[in-house]
Amino acid sequence: MRGLVSLVVAGAGAVYIAALSPAHAQLLGVDDAQQNAATAADRSRQLTEERANAESRYQIGQMERVLEGAVEHGAAITRDRLKAVLPPGDTLMNGENARARGFRLEGYGVFFDVIVPPFETETTLSWSIRTLDQNDLGLDSALKALEAHIKSQGNTDLDQALRRVELQVNPAIMAGQTAPVLAGARNATGSAAVDTQAVADPILNDPNEAYRTEVVAALKDAMLAHSDSLGIGENDWLTIAARANDDRPRLAPADSDARTRVIRLRGSDLLAYLARQIPREEALRRIEVKVY
């Protein structure tokens, strides 16, 4: 049959031969082409989504390393502060590394779980200080007892010797007892006087709390400086939950004050900072910190 296209259809044990006009055959070809195009478009969208997800995972992984470095930076600052007030020879330790894991939560934003290792010394500094102070055997108590005895004797040489010991052992103690002196001034013995205001650091009052404060500050800085590639939306949150490592060694002192610090910033505030619409100080002020 001229002008007709044969179509063979098999079914129910029989073979049927149908004749289609060129127009019908063309329609079948168009349908196939549209279906192929739709399949190709779906595949392209799928590949684009997979690439976007891979890029998101990569950027989150980069931020994980940044946050781990921020914790270690906070530990380094704390270590330097302690070295300035501890007697020579005390070795400061921090044998564990920080660990961070990030997740993108649909409808919320990006969340990071950060494990903060304990900060210790070889002699378990904070525990020793608290224990000695509870028994009135702390350094401050001992120096005050010596000072009272020396004053009762009226011996100026011993008084000067005690002052030298105080400055060498713990300059922070002198900060609360001695008025600030002018740089270059000389004391009663002719030695150069020490500006106690410059060396005072209350870190020994609670080394663990000082460590937490430094770590939180470092994490805040990292949020502002390295989060532009995370794709935080205006209605999203960037959240960091910083918590102590529960898997501490058996012999290590328990940090009874350990809590989870939840640090978060609204996406709109982050975007405003990245666009330089608000200064860094204002962005830091808008970062919420809650303790659980």
Side-chain angles (χ1 to χ4, degrees):
M1 293 177 290
R2 177 175 291 183
L4 296 179
V5 178
S6 298
L7 177 64
V8 178
V9 181
V15 177
Y16 302 90
I17 301 177
L20 297 178
S21 67
H24 289 164
Q26 185 178 5
L27 286 176
L28 286 177
V30 170
D31 289 342
D32 291 341
Q34 290 175 344
Q35 184 177 0
N36 292 336
T39 301
D42 290 341
R43 180 57 180 164
S44 178
R45 283 193 296 268
Q46 183 180 358
L47 291 175
T48 300
E49 184 177 349
E50 289 176 356
R51 284 193 293 266
N53 290 337
E55 177 66 18
S56 177
R57 289 192 297 270
Y58 169 75
Q59 296 299 341
I60 288 177
Q62 292 293 97
M63 190 66 177
E64 289 171 348
R65 286 182 278 276
V66 167
L67 296 179
E68 291 169 354
V71 173
E72 293 167 5
H73 178 63
I77 293 176
T78 307
R79 189 180 301 110
D80 291 341
R81 288 176 59 187
L82 282 171
K83 283 182 178 179
V85 297
L86 284 177
D90 273 21
T91 303
L92 300 176
M93 298 176 59
N94 193 11
E96 302 178 35
N97 295 324
R99 302 195 305 273
R101 290 196 64 188
F103 310 89
R104 186 173 298 278
L105 304 178
E106 190 71 26
Y108 178 81
V110 179
F111 176 88
F112 289 92
D113 178 33
V114 179
I115 304 298
V116 180
F119 191 85
E120 305 172 83
T121 66
E122 285 185 352
T123 57
T124 59
L125 172 69
S126 59
W127 174 83
S128 299
I129 290 174
R130 286 198 296 266
T131 302
L132 290 173
D133 283 339
Q134 287 172 359
N135 296 299
D136 293 329
L137 296 175
L139 179 62
D140 193 12
S141 303
L143 289 176
K144 286 180 179 178
L146 286 173
E147 183 179 16
H149 177 72
I150 290 172
K151 284 184 177 180
S152 67
Q153 299 295 319
N155 191 321
T156 56
D157 291 337
L158 289 178
D159 184 68
Q160 289 295 328
L162 177 62
R163 296 301 175 189
R164 288 176 179 272
V165 171
E166 288 175 330
L167 287 173
Q168 290 180 354
V169 173
N170 185 10
I173 291 177
M174 292 295 292
Q177 301 174 353
T178 310
V181 295
L182 296 176
R186 309 191 72 80
N187 59 23
T189 64
S191 301
V194 177
D195 184 358
T196 56
Q197 294 288 356
V199 296
D201 191 335
I203 188 172
L204 288 182
N205 295 336
D206 192 342
N208 280 330
E209 184 59 32
Y211 173 46
R212 297 186 199 104
T213 300
E214 294 292 354
V215 167
V216 168
L219 291 174
K220 284 182 173 182
D221 289 340
M223 291 175 73
L224 296 180
H226 301 281
S227 60
D228 55 334
S229 61
L230 294 177
I232 304 294
E234 188 175 29
N235 298 321
D236 292 339
W237 286 92
L238 174 57
T239 302
I240 298 172
R243 57 191 178 92
N245 186 1
D246 295 331
D247 300 329
R248 61 181 177 84
R250 281 187 177 182
L251 297 180
D255 184 2
S256 58
D257 296 329
R259 300 288 188 275
T260 298
R261 267 78 179 165
V262 177
I263 311 163
R264 67 175 190 167
L265 180 63
R266 290 183 182 273
S268 56
D269 293 330
L270 176 61
L271 293 176
Y273 168 73
L274 294 176
R276 299 186 178 181
Q277 297 173 357
I278 59 174
R280 180 176 179 275
E281 293 73 18
E282 176 62 20
L284 288 172
R285 189 189 67 80
R286 297 186 186 185
I287 295 178
E288 300 178 7
V289 180
K290 295 184 179 181
V291 181
Y292 297 95

